[in-house]
Amino acid sequence: MYTIKTMNAISPVGLAKLPANQFEINNEANDAQGILVRSADLHDVALPKSLLAIARAGAGTNNIPIDQCTEQGIVVFNTPGANANAVKELVLCALFLTSRKIAPALDWVKTLKGQGDQVEKLIEKGKGQFAGPEIQGKALGVVGLGAIGILVANAASQLGMEVYGYDPYLSVEHAWRLSSAVHLSPSLDEVYQKCDYITLHLPQTKDTKGMVNGESLQKMKDGVRILNFARGALVDTDALLEALGQGKVAAYATDFPADAMLGVEGVVALPHLGASTPESEDNCAVMAVDQMKDYLENGNIAHSVNYPACSMGKARAASRIACLHANVPNMIGQITAILAKDNANVQRMTNESAGENAYTMFDTDEHLNSSTIEALKQIPSMYRVRVIK
């Protein structure tokens, strides 16, 4: 029986995929094997030694202490693409919001309440202040062509925009899904120089933090409209506000507004609504639960942010052993030497690595001695050894 703790409200559609005879959902447990989370901050939460996996029902994992989890052999999952359509639709909405001054127009119309039969005349007189351009024929730069960026690029192209996509790490899978009408830009500078609209769809890293700053803004076209539905820290707030005040930036739409942006003309600030649809919450929960369930039951890893993808199907042998360790030389040799000393017959074995971390799984015909398991745990740079079956 595995104990699962939820740190946020998780869609019942996802939780229903955890069989009651194998999983217990207990939010008061101090010895859970799995945690399901959305936006709750886990950086100051004491992670129990029993914890094997954290599944984030969403894409970003800034709220999870990744380094600490890695060192403790805790696999962290996310759900890339599960909320992609929801975010895409909001980005398309933001294209129109930043172009046609819809939000200030709505606020202004409310001020006409009580004007009686003068409302129509006042509207005709005042509507000119909310004029804005159409998006058809304009150039849109999509920075980051992951699950969301591709959907945005393809949809904008269908709306008649000239789309430029930039992603130096574009995967083969995503490249196949990208419309042939989208221009692949060789550099960010080309996107900055050619595009009337720029939308950000990439993770926050030490390299991307503050990528929209005073220097990059000066490379953009005058009157550019910027959309940020990825991470707030990608944009330098002070530089952005200065560019807005100077007219260099015509409008900025964000799902992550800073205090200094609130109430500023030209800023369309939304309260992190990107994935706030029932469909998205269901999709994320189902994906998160499926990944955690497969890992706990079979040791398989898919869409982890700190360990490599690895799968050996269902655990059917007498014993399946899963080893989470650093990606260092001779680790496999040390593991097999210990197994040979125990005369263990390995049916299947697989090893995958990603950066500094690696994962090794193997099935054996018989259950290993406890001394053998302990010897595996004592290998230098071994983070965790699990006996799954």
Side-chain angles (χ1 to χ4, degrees):
M1 177 74 74
Y2 293 103
T3 301
I4 307 298
K5 189 172 186 176
T6 62
M7 302 298 289
N8 296 103
I10 304 297
S11 166
V13 176
L15 296 179
K17 296 180 72 67
L18 296 172
N21 63 335
Q22 296 171 272
F23 295 86
E24 175 194 20
I25 300 173
N26 183 352
N27 294 337
E28 304 302 320
N30 295 318
D31 57 352
Q33 285 79 48
I35 287 179
L36 290 166
V37 63
R38 291 172 61 195
S39 58
D41 191 346
L42 302 186
H43 284 277
D44 296 323
V45 175
L47 303 178
K49 292 183 178 180
S50 60
L51 189 62
L52 301 175
I54 298 174
R56 160 82 162 95
T61 54
N62 293 48
N63 58 322
I64 300 171
I66 303 298
D67 291 343
Q68 178 187 347
C69 289
T70 301
E71 293 170 1
Q72 294 181 218
I74 300 169
V75 180
V76 179
F77 298 94
N78 69 345
T79 57
N83 62 7
N85 187 70
V87 178
K88 175 207 75 175
E89 290 186 359
L90 196 60
V91 171
L92 295 179
C93 175
L95 282 173
F96 296 110
L97 288 173
T98 55
S99 294
R100 302 294 295 275
K101 299 183 181 179
I102 296 170
L106 288 170
D107 290 339
W108 177 76
V109 167
K110 293 175 185 177
T111 68
L112 304 182
K113 179 70 174 177
Q115 297 296 321
D117 57 9
Q118 294 299 307
V119 168
E120 184 176 350
K121 292 181 179 179
L122 292 170
I123 285 177
E124 288 303 312
K125 182 179 179 180
K127 68 179 182 180
Q129 61 187 307
F130 305 110
E134 299 177 13
I135 67 169
Q136 184 174 359
K138 303 301 189 300
L140 170 68
V142 181
V143 182
L145 294 170
I148 297 171
I150 282 181
L151 292 181
V152 171
N154 291 347
S157 178
Q158 292 174 342
L159 289 172
M161 301 190 80
E162 190 78 9
V163 181
Y164 293 83
Y166 173 77
D167 191 334
Y169 307 105
L170 178 63
S171 69
V172 174
E173 176 191 356
H174 287 158
W176 276 107
R177 293 166 51 197
L178 191 64
S179 168
S180 60
V182 176
H183 308 286
L184 285 177
S185 292
S187 68
L188 273 174
D189 283 355
E190 181 182 67
V191 172
Y192 293 156
Q193 293 163 9
K194 289 188 174 181
C195 294
D196 307 293
Y197 299 77
I198 295 173
T199 180
L200 307 177
H201 298 287
L202 63 174
Q204 177 187 320
T205 67
K206 58 182 176 59
D207 296 321
T208 62
K209 186 176 181 180
M211 62 177 292
V212 176
N213 50 42
E215 181 181 354
S216 59
L217 285 165
Q218 288 309 307
K219 296 178 181 179
M220 298 179 190
K221 296 176 68 173
D222 290 344
V224 66
R225 290 168 165 83
I226 301 172
L227 284 62
N228 180 9
F229 288 79
R231 282 292 177 267
L234 300 179
V235 175
D236 182 315
T237 298
D238 291 339
L240 187 282
L241 291 176
E242 183 178 354
L244 273 168
Q246 296 171 345
K248 178 69 178 182
V249 174
Y252 176 61
T254 181
D255 218 12
F256 313 94
D259 178 72
M261 296 179 182
L262 300 180
V264 174
E265 185 177 357
V267 173
V268 177
L270 299 175
H272 202 179
L273 297 180
S276 295
T277 69
E279 295 88 352
S280 174
E281 291 180 8
D282 289 348
N283 292 341
C284 288
V286 167
M287 189 171 178
V289 168
D290 281 344
Q291 291 171 170
M292 176 177 286
K293 182 174 181 290
D294 193 23
Y295 176 67
L296 294 179
E297 292 181 336
N298 302 300
N300 300 322
I301 295 178
H303 298 124
S304 168
V305 299
N306 60 341
Y307 283 102
C310 186
S311 177
M312 289 207 311
K314 287 188 175 296
R316 302 185 186 280
S319 184
R320 173 168 289 183
I321 311 300
C323 303
L324 297 147
H325 54 84
N327 184 19
V328 294
N330 197 35
M331 181 60 76
I332 302 302
Q334 294 180 79
I335 292 174
T336 54
I338 291 171
L339 296 177
K341 189 175 181 180
D342 190 27
N343 293 318
N345 183 32
V346 177
Q347 289 185 3
R348 293 187 300 166
M349 186 173 190
T350 186
N351 169 266
E352 298 288 347
S353 62
E356 298 178 351
N357 305 312
Y359 187 49
T360 303
M361 275 196 299
F362 55 89
D363 290 344
T364 60
D365 286 338
E366 298 178 351
H367 295 290
L368 299 182
N369 295 326
S370 59
S371 59
T372 302
I373 300 300
E374 187 59 32
L376 291 171
K377 292 180 179 179
Q378 296 307 313
I379 296 175
S381 299
M382 180 69 75
Y383 300 139
R384 187 189 289 265
V385 176
R386 291 184 60 209
V387 179
I388 296 174
K389 191 176 176 185

